[in-house]
């Protein structure tokens, strides 16, 4: 049976009961992910290798002539057990890869157990090679808190060891020395194995530290993630309330209106991790697109296929009452301007974007100056298809409908709704693809313990999108 390392990671409270009171991004990281991060820190890295061959002096082993039981050691020549000088050069030659298991304690922390066995070898007192195996239980207390940089951090508070069964694998060890070896290992192993715990926490803290970071949004700006509150623990997951601070390219913080009600986050199933992307982030991204002018466009015949009409002659068939005042056989220019931030709606398992737009319709000859024909006030309702990748939530828009009203006209007033089908075809082929290119930056997801959300199940709830991925 293997020995055990036990750690207690202290939390301060239990997570909220399904309500996200703030507008930050909520991440619920399953205990399995923490266990995998700890296990991975031990596999293939130098942490366990650094223990192998460890000695208490440069040239001798744990019980060598200059070690704890050597001539200058605790129990060396002139001590109670001078005979142990003959037990020399005892070193760690193998440390079994620990098996990781952990249990989260609501409002208290995490109990982590690493099962392992230490194998040692050296020269026996009766000559020949002596090989020993020892089971070890190393218990540590680790605080779970927030660093000065605003990231989750695990801090080792206390570490102690319990020595389990010792067995002689080869060689001879007189019974009167067995207890000496046991006492010596009890004193030495904490100094050798507690640093392993510290090293593991260092690696995991580096992963937790990636929560804090500045994620570029291309030409739009950036998103900076920080912790809004101290980490919380339940019996299945660690909950992180993460601030998502959106900044323009100039570094100015973008602050768009936030939803008045808290988000009702659905419960998380066991062995899954969850991240909640709030409506605020969607509105902020589209607000940046609007303020940067990325939602504006001038549409000319060169931007649409030949089967989409964009001449004054085509317009005459749609507005016959303006035939007398429309110049024949001229090209049309549609100048679409978005002067207000779009509104994103997340509810009923659907994401939609409402974009208010002014559409100026002008006619022109290839070498001439455009002349205004009329102006429309319109609202484009776009469906948003959402798809997660490893680190982002991607959006792709499609036009659901376009409604317009006449704002001003060079001729008599007319029913602008007759233009909606025609304008919709123009918007679909010229406007929507352009906006989708600008949206290719996606909405960044917080990076916590390298959780990959590429295959996450996506659910649109009221005022948020929830991604859930199996551990």
């Amino acid at each position: 049976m293997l020995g055990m390392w036990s750690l207690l990671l202290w939390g301060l409270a239990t997570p909220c009961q399904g309500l996200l009171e703030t507008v930050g991004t909520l991440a619920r990281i399953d205990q399995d992910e923490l266990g995998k991060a700890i296990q991975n820190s031990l596999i293939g890295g130098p942490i366990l290798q650094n223990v192998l061959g460890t000695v208490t002096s440069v040239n001798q082993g744990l019980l060598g002539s200059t070690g704890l039981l050597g001539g200058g050691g605790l129990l060396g020549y002139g001590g109670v057990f001078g005979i142990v000088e003959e037990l020399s050069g005892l070193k760690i030659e193998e440390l079994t890869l620990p098996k990781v298991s952990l249990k989260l304690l609501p409002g208290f922390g995490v109990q982590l157990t690493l099962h392992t066995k230490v194998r040692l070898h050296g020269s026996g007192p009766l000559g020949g090679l002596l090989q020993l195996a020892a089971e070890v239980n190393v218990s540590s207390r680790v605080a779970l808190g927030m660093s000065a940089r605003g990231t989750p951090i695990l801090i080792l508070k206390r570490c102690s060891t319990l020595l389990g069964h010792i067995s002689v694998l080869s060689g001879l060890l007189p019974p009167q020395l067995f207890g000496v070896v046991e006492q010596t290992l009890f004193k030495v192993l904490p100094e050798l194995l507690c640093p392993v715990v510290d090293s593991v926490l260092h690696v995991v803290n580096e992963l937790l530290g990636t929560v804090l970071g500045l994620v570029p949004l291309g030409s739009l700006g950036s998103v900076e993630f920080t912790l809004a509150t101290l980490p919380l623990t339940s019996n299945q997951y660690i909950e992180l309330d993460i601030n998502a601070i959106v900044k323009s390219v100039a570094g100015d913080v973008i602050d768009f209106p936030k939803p008045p009600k808290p988000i009702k986050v659905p419960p998380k199933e066991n062995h899954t991790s969850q991240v909640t992307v709030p409506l605020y982030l969607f509105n902020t991204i589209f607000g940046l697109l609007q303020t940067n002018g990325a939602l504006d466009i001038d549409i000319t015949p060169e931007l649409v296929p030949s089967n989409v009409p964009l001449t004054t002659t085509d317009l005459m068939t749609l507005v016959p009452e303006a035939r007398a005042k429309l110049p024949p056989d001229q090209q049309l220019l549609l100048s679409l301007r978005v002067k207000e931030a779009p509104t994103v709606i997340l509810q009923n398992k659907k994401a939609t974007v409402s974009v208010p737009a002014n559409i100026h319709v002008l006619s022109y000859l290839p070498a001439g100056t455009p002349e205004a024909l009329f102006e429309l006030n319109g609202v484009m309702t776009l469906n948003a298809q959402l798809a997660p990748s490893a680190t982002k939530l991607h959006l792709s828009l499609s036009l659901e409908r376009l409604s317009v009203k006449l704002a001003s006209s060079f001729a008599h007033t007319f029913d602008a709704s007759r233009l909606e089908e025609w304008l919709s075809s123009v918007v679909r082929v010229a406007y929507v693809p352009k906006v989708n290119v600008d949206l290719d930056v996606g909405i960044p997801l917080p990076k916590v313990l390298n959780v990959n959300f590429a295959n996450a199940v996506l659910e649109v709830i009221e005022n948020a999108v929830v991604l859930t991925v199996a551990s």
Side-chain angles (χ1 to χ4, degrees):
M1 180 178 178
L2 296 177
M4 295 180 290
W5 271 308
S6 294
L7 296 86
L8 292 179
L9 287 63
W10 297 78
L12 296 181
T14 55
C16 55
Q17 300 300 313
L19 289 180
L20 179 56
E21 298 292 345
T22 67
V23 295
T25 300
L26 188 69
R28 290 172 169 175
I29 307 304
D30 193 79
Q31 63 178 8
D32 294 345
E33 295 295 340
L34 181 58
K36 285 192 290 186
I38 293 170
Q39 185 77 66
N40 290 338
S41 72
L42 296 167
I43 298 174
I47 294 178
L48 298 182
Q49 290 296 322
N50 289 342
V51 179
L52 302 185
T54 301
V55 296
T56 54
S57 64
V58 176
N59 299 317
Q60 297 295 330
L62 300 177
L63 307 179
S65 61
T66 57
L68 287 177
L69 300 187
L74 297 177
L75 301 174
Y77 182 78
V80 179
F81 298 102
I83 191 174
V84 298
E85 277 189 318
E86 299 178 37
L87 185 64
S88 62
L90 195 60
K91 301 178 181 181
I92 295 178
E93 66 174 350
E94 181 180 334
L95 187 66
T96 303
L97 178 66
K99 180 181 178 182
V100 177
S101 61
L102 61 90
K103 179 182 180 182
L104 299 184
L105 308 175
F108 181 73
V110 182
Q111 181 172 322
L112 172 66
T113 303
L114 305 177
H115 302 271
T116 192
K117 182 182 287 186
V118 180
R119 186 170 174 174
L120 308 100
H121 77 281
S123 298
L126 302 181
L129 180 67
L130 177 67
Q131 289 184 313
L132 304 174
E135 298 175 6
V136 187
N137 180 348
V138 182
S139 298
S140 303
R141 283 190 174 182
V142 180
L144 172 62
M146 184 164 59
S147 71
R149 297 173 57 243
T151 62
I153 187 171
L154 307 176
I155 307 169
L156 183 61
K157 292 294 186 180
R158 189 174 68 191
C159 181
S160 61
T161 62
L162 279 178
L163 191 61
H165 178 67
I166 299 176
S167 56
V168 179
L169 302 179
S170 66
L172 297 175
L173 182 64
Q176 62 266 33
L177 288 182
F178 200 90
V180 177
V181 172
E182 186 176 45
Q183 292 177 33
T184 304
L185 292 180
F186 177 78
K187 293 177 181 179
V188 171
L189 287 178
E191 296 179 7
L192 301 178
L193 299 182
C194 285
V196 172
V197 177
D198 220 3
S199 297
V200 166
L201 296 181
H202 176 74
V203 173
V204 176
N205 281 337
E206 287 185 347
L207 293 175
L208 289 173
T210 59
V211 172
L212 177 67
L214 200 64
V215 183
L217 290 172
S219 61
L220 299 180
S222 60
V223 176
E224 182 179 6
F225 290 115
T226 60
L227 277 187
T229 61
L230 289 172
L232 307 176
T233 57
S234 77
N235 61 349
Q236 286 295 330
Y237 57 86
I238 294 174
E239 182 173 287
L240 305 176
D241 188 359
I242 301 172
N243 270 334
I245 303 170
V246 182
K247 298 181 179 180
S248 66
V249 174
D252 300 323
V253 175
I254 308 299
D255 191 15
F256 283 90
K258 302 171 177 61
K261 297 180 180 179
I263 298 170
K264 295 182 179 179
V265 183
K268 187 191 79 68
E269 296 181 359
N270 293 344
H271 308 296
T272 63
S273 291
Q274 188 182 77
V275 65
T276 301
V277 184
L279 176 64
Y280 164 75
L281 265 182
F282 289 86
N283 281 330
T284 303
I285 296 297
F286 278 96
L288 274 175
L289 288 170
Q290 186 267 325
T291 55
N292 286 5
L295 298 180
D296 300 336
I297 190 174
D298 290 333
I299 303 174
T300 60
E302 292 78 17
L303 298 181
V304 299
S306 57
N307 63 335
V308 177
L310 207 61
T311 67
T312 53
T313 302
D314 299 313
L315 188 58
M316 289 177 187
T317 61
L318 298 173
V319 190
E321 56 264 51
R323 182 184 298 269
K325 294 190 177 183
L326 279 173
D329 300 322
Q330 290 193 12
Q331 295 179 333
L332 292 178
L333 166 65
L334 304 185
S335 180
L336 190 153
R337 296 292 181 267
V338 179
K339 298 180 179 179
E340 300 177 14
T343 301
V344 181
I345 301 172
L346 300 174
Q347 62 181 15
N348 299 327
K349 300 183 179 181
K350 185 178 180 180
T352 57
V353 184
S354 179
V355 182
N358 297 107
I359 304 174
H360 295 263
V361 181
L362 306 93
S363 65
Y364 70 99
L365 293 171
T369 302
E371 294 186 14
L373 299 179
F374 54 86
E375 179 184 354
L376 304 170
N377 290 331
V379 176
M380 292 178 286
T381 302
L382 303 133
N383 292 323
Q385 290 77 43
L386 308 176
S389 66
T391 58
K392 293 182 179 181
L393 179 60
H394 296 275
L395 295 85
S396 179
L397 302 179
S398 61
L399 182 68
E400 179 179 311
R401 63 180 181 274
L402 168 65
S403 59
V404 294
K405 292 183 179 180
L406 186 66
S408 63
S409 173
F410 72 105
H412 299 293
T413 59
F414 59 90
D415 183 6
S417 64
R418 286 179 287 171
L419 303 177
E420 290 176 353
E421 183 177 351
W422 165 64
L423 288 172
S424 294
S425 63
V426 174
V427 167
R428 284 191 179 95
V429 297
Y431 182 74
V432 173
K434 184 256 185 191
V435 176
N436 281 336
V437 170
D438 293 321
L439 283 173
D440 193 52
V441 294
I443 297 178
L445 301 174
K447 189 177 180 181
V448 186
L449 295 179
N450 285 331
V451 177
N452 188 332
F453 286 95
N455 297 317
V457 175
L458 187 148
E459 181 181 2
V460 179
I461 62 173
E462 187 173 3
N463 293 334
V465 171
V466 180
L467 302 176
T468 304
V469 64
S471 298

